[in-house]
Amino acid sequence: RGVRCDDAGHVIDLDLSSDSISGNLDDSSSLFRLQFLRRLNLAGNSFDSTQLPTGFGMLKELVYLNLSETGFAGQIPSEFSRISRLVTLDLSTFSPGYILSLKLESPNLNMLVHNLTRLRDLRLDGVDIAAAGDDWCHALSSALPDLRVLSLSYCNISGPLDSSLAKLQSLSV
């Protein structure tokens, strides 16, 4: 259940969402050796406020990554920008009464998305971006021209909205 392989037997889809997985996930995990993995969903598990492993950057074939509500904390590693085939990225952490646990300081939002030009769906609810309107607006509009879904609730961003957002002509949500 939750595992799909291609005709050659390579794991290409792993959906372990809400499977009551808990504990640590570190860079030595065999998960990061699944070099043909295209879709990974770990949403709704509890990784005990551990740092996001840099190993996600080794999953170069990913087009879908959902780490929402997983309990990861700290800085989002720069290695995430290496997953350049991503179409969907969900790092949302917000739920009522939850504190901002993930953050984008160094790298900032601009550094995260500059290689993720294929993104169509970006959800960063509850991630502490701490950026002014012109910074986060320019980061998104210059790197993600085909973005369709954007969710930035409770991200500690400020305005005013910059006119560069008008470049996101495919944005529908």
Side-chain angles (χ1 to χ4, degrees), residues 9-151:
H10 302 116
V11 176
I12 58 170
D13 191 341
L14 191 56
D15 185 347
L16 301 174
S17 59
S18 302
D19 274 356
S20 301
I21 299 170
S22 62
N24 288 335
L25 180 66
D26 61 31
D27 291 325
S28 65
S29 173
S30 58
L31 171 68
F32 302 124
R33 290 193 294 272
L34 296 174
Q35 61 182 336
F36 298 98
L37 195 61
R38 295 181 43 80
R39 297 179 54 85
L40 177 60
N41 188 348
L42 296 175
N45 290 293
S46 179
F47 293 104
D48 300 335
S49 297
T50 57
Q51 290 284 113
L52 265 170
T54 59
F56 285 105
M58 296 171 54
L59 301 174
K60 305 253 191 252
E61 297 299 317
L62 281 181
V63 295
Y64 177 91
L65 178 59
N66 188 341
L67 300 177
S68 63
E69 304 300 332
T70 52
F72 285 116
Q75 175 64 41
I76 296 170
S78 61
E79 286 80 3
F80 272 67
S81 69
R82 294 181 189 163
I83 317 170
S84 61
R85 294 178 187 248
L86 276 177
V87 174
T88 299
L89 176 61
D90 190 343
L91 298 175
S92 299
T93 62
F94 183 78
S95 59
Y98 207 80
I99 60 168
L100 296 177
S101 56
L102 285 175
K103 59 186 174 182
L104 271 171
E105 290 176 346
S106 181
N108 59 20
L109 180 63
N110 184 50
M111 293 170 72
L112 173 70
V113 300
H114 81 277
N115 285 334
L116 304 181
T117 57
R118 297 181 187 187
L119 271 181
R120 304 296 178 267
D121 185 338
L122 178 61
R123 298 167 193 260
L124 298 174
D125 301 308
V127 174
D128 188 359
I129 295 173
D134 58 341
D135 290 336
W136 68 267
C137 291
H138 281 286
L140 296 174
S141 63
S142 63
L144 308 176
D146 297 320
L147 195 63
R148 294 184 180 136
V149 175
L150 176 62
S151 192

